[in-house]
Amino acid sequence: MNHHCGQFREMPQTRRDFLKSSALGFGGLALSSLLNDKAYAASGITTPYQHAPKAKSVIFLYMDGGVSHVDSFDPKPRLRAEDGKPFGMHMEPTQFDNNGNTLGNLWEFNHYGQSGIEVSDLFPHIGSCVDDITMIRSMTSKFSEHNQANYFMHTGHGLSGRPSMGAWTSYGLGASSENLPGYVVLNGGLIPSGGVDNFGSGFLPASYQGSIMQAKDPAVPNINPQEASAQLQNNKLALLNALDNETLARMGKHDALESAISNYELAYKMQSSVPELMDISGETEATKKLYCLDDEYPQTQSYGKQCLVARRLVERGVRFVELTCSSIQGSDRWDAHGGLKFNHESNAKAVDAPIAGLLKDLKSRGLLDETLVVFTGEFGRTPFAQGTNGRDHNPFGFTTWVAGGGMKGGHIYGATDEYGYKTVENKVDVHDFHATMLHQLGFDHKRLTFRYSGRDMRLTDVHGEVVHDIIA
């Protein structure tokens, strides 16, 4: 405005101002059509798939802290034969540099299923499902410290600030559900070391970051409306929307504001969808028992509820669901630097039967074929002792397993040496793992990109090869 002796005169509208203010009106006509296409409505890419997908969604069972592969899914008789003796290989630097002698397996291994895959007594229920599982016994990581290794497994980068694979999945596939986020994290009590940046959207639009829920009521803080009537809430939302749209008209495209608008709208829809999601009263007693909801161990009940909610989420079109560990008194996640026996037995007791229940339930409902289930930590653990009764971090070779989503069942891929220390056959790094997951979801990991800072960025950076040998 120009000022003339206390009087105000409106400046003529410039062509740029006109185009800015008109953009919402003209754009709205196109947007109303595009919103009918869920892939366009929620995704930044114009081609939902780059080849025929095998999986529609991912359930990511994250074993925060690092499961000892040599005590669970990778049997090594030589460890028991040389228990207590000096370790027979060169030791790489470890996190705490408190290395002892060779530490034998603390649990017996048994053959399961028609495939005869060996699984330890820590996981007898998962063992019953091995004919639907591919054991990848040759995983490696670039990092041996929790924060960096967690970021690496989640985002393909060892530092915070990059988009999580859940965000990439949601970005690529869009939202199949109009009333739930595309990427959900079920917090069982322990967020992985490194914090919520493990679930962030990084340079992708903020609407793709993980939405953290709990498998209980209320699942999300403030999910229940506080207004006295629905009309009052609608009036508030209408005012908020009008103010945001006016700001957009003046300032143009702005991710933080547009994501906020999107999140307001989704939060409103979640007020009805989330309570329905968490209401498991309609599940049969047999299903509740399958997920161990009547178990005497509270952490088994808790993780079982997470697994059941995960199934209900993928049924409703959520693309990526991550489950985190339960808080267990006296046990620091799977991070067994000491007290290995108590640590691993208490954690395995919490997750073993519920995970098996999830796999069996998905299979019985015909959902396992289209749901990729992943079990992994950020690294494995050393075959030699830390002190006398613990194991330190080991990124040089560990076990991850996958089930469903077009993967082979009853299959072992890769191998570590006789001690279980380092990968010696068919090495798989985290970039390869991410590339293979994206492939099953219908994407070429080299083409699923986002332009940022003058470069086409991707989950796998400039690395990664699809591991075709584990695909059915």
Side-chain angles (χ1 to χ4, degrees):
M1 296 182 177
N2 285 341
H3 298 259
H4 295 279
C5 302
Q7 297 183 1
F8 302 95
R9 178 170 59 86
E10 294 270 351
M11 285 285 289
Q13 190 177 40
T14 67
R15 182 175 62 177
R16 178 172 295 178
D17 290 336
F18 172 76
L19 290 173
K20 278 187 177 180
S21 61
S22 301
L24 282 173
F26 294 137
L29 295 176
L31 183 62
S32 63
S33 173
L34 288 177
L35 284 175
N36 290 321
D37 184 333
K38 295 173 185 174
Y40 277 92
S43 176
I45 62 175
T46 57
T47 305
Y49 299 111
Q50 292 157 357
H51 57 258
K54 297 288 185 70
K56 294 181 179 178
S57 55
V58 176
I59 296 178
F60 191 63
L61 309 170
Y62 198 57
M63 301 295 116
D64 178 20
V67 179
S68 172
H69 55 294
V70 295
D71 291 302
S72 55
F73 302 112
D74 192 5
K76 297 297 176 183
R78 186 166 181 175
L79 285 184
R80 185 161 292 183
E82 299 184 15
D83 182 40
K85 297 180 179 180
F87 187 60
M89 293 177 63
H90 168 73
M91 292 179 178
E92 303 289 347
T94 54
Q95 184 77 10
F96 289 95
D97 194 26
N98 180 25
N99 302 336
N101 292 326
T102 302
L103 182 60
N105 311 87
L106 300 187
W107 294 270
E108 298 292 334
F109 279 77
N110 295 289
H111 296 273
Y112 287 91
Q114 292 183 348
S115 58
I117 294 176
E118 289 182 272
V119 176
S120 86
D121 288 342
L122 276 175
F123 295 107
H125 295 93
I126 292 175
S128 71
C129 301
V130 291
D131 287 340
D132 294 311
I133 288 173
T134 286
M135 293 286 177
I136 305 173
R137 290 179 174 169
S138 53
M139 277 294 296
T140 62
S141 177
K142 294 179 180 177
F143 302 98
S144 60
E145 187 273 331
H146 288 296
N147 284 23
Q148 289 179 295
N150 282 331
Y151 291 143
F152 191 44
M153 184 60 77
H154 281 83
T155 74
H157 198 269
L159 299 176
S160 64
R162 293 293 185 97
S164 165
M165 57 182 159
W168 278 108
T169 300
S170 183
Y171 163 71
L173 292 180
S176 180
S177 170
E178 295 180 350
N179 300 321
L180 289 167
Y183 174 23
V184 171
V185 177
L186 293 174
N187 179 14
L190 294 175
I191 295 294
S193 177
V196 296
D197 277 357
N198 286 294
F199 321 128
S201 58
F203 46 72
L204 294 177
S207 54
Y208 296 113
Q209 67 187 351
S211 295
I212 300 176
M213 301 184 187
Q214 292 181 295
K216 62 181 184 180
D217 187 29
V220 182
N222 306 313
I223 193 66
N224 298 316
Q226 302 298 311
E227 289 78 13
S229 68
Q231 185 59 51
L232 180 58
Q233 185 183 24
N234 286 333
N235 290 344
K236 289 183 177 180
L237 289 172
L239 174 61
L240 193 62
N241 190 52
L243 293 172
D244 286 340
N245 281 332
E246 182 180 338
T247 303
L248 279 176
R250 285 187 289 104
M251 298 180 60
K253 183 178 176 65
H254 196 284
D255 171 50
L257 185 55
E258 291 179 323
S259 294
I261 295 171
S262 174
N263 288 338
Y264 294 149
E265 294 170 348
L266 180 59
Y268 178 68
K269 296 174 182 177
M270 286 170 62
Q271 288 181 346
S272 60
S273 62
V274 169
E276 184 274 332
L277 167 73
M278 297 297 170
D279 181 7
I280 62 171
S281 59
E283 300 284 352
T284 66
E285 291 304 313
T287 297
K288 294 175 185 177
K289 187 173 183 63
L290 184 64
Y291 284 94
C292 309
L293 301 190
D294 59 351
D295 198 275
E296 60 182 17
Y297 190 48
Q299 282 74 23
T300 306
Q301 287 188 33
S302 172
Y303 201 82
K305 182 69 178 294
Q306 283 195 73
C307 288
L308 176 54
V309 170
R311 187 217 81 201
R312 291 169 66 88
L313 283 165
V314 298
E315 279 183 318
R316 287 158 175 76
V318 174
R319 299 296 194 180
F320 197 103
V321 183
E322 177 167 347
L323 280 64
T324 68
C325 290
S326 300
S327 179
I328 300 174
Q329 186 173 4
S331 178
D332 186 14
R333 311 161 198 265
W334 291 90
D335 196 24
H337 291 283
L340 173 67
K341 186 171 175 59
F342 172 78
N343 174 281
H344 271 41
E345 284 183 347
S346 58
N347 278 285
K349 185 178 180 180
V351 305
D352 178 39
I355 289 173
L358 171 65
L359 293 175
K360 292 172 182 177
D361 194 26
L362 289 171
K363 188 173 183 179
S364 69
R365 295 169 184 268
L367 289 171
L368 189 58
D369 289 341
E370 61 187 42
T371 305
L372 178 60
V373 181
V374 177
F375 178 106
T376 191
E378 63 269 45
F379 38 54
R381 309 205 76 83
T382 56
F384 47 84
Q386 177 179 341
T388 58
N389 64 351
R391 298 190 191 275
D392 211 327
H393 307 166
N394 179 22
F396 306 110
F398 60 100
T399 299
T400 289
W401 61 254
V402 293
M407 297 295 193
K408 290 180 179 177
H411 184 65
I412 296 172
Y413 184 79
T416 52
D417 56 57
E418 290 183 282
Y419 292 102
Y421 191 26
K422 296 182 178 181
T423 290
V424 294
E425 178 184 314
N426 293 329
K427 177 182 176 182
V428 178
D429 69 18
V430 170
H431 298 301
D432 300 328
F433 191 52
H434 288 163
T436 307
M437 291 175 64
L438 290 177
H439 181 273
Q440 296 306 92
L441 291 165
F443 293 103
D444 178 347
H445 70 104
K446 296 178 182 179
R447 294 172 57 200
L448 181 61
T449 62
F450 186 88
R451 192 73 175 176
Y452 175 72
S453 192
R455 177 184 161 200
D456 288 334
M457 309 293 282
R458 67 187 208 219
L459 174 60
T460 52
D461 195 33
V462 295
H463 312 284
E465 298 293 337
V466 175
V467 186
H468 290 282
D469 288 343
I470 67 173
I471 298 172

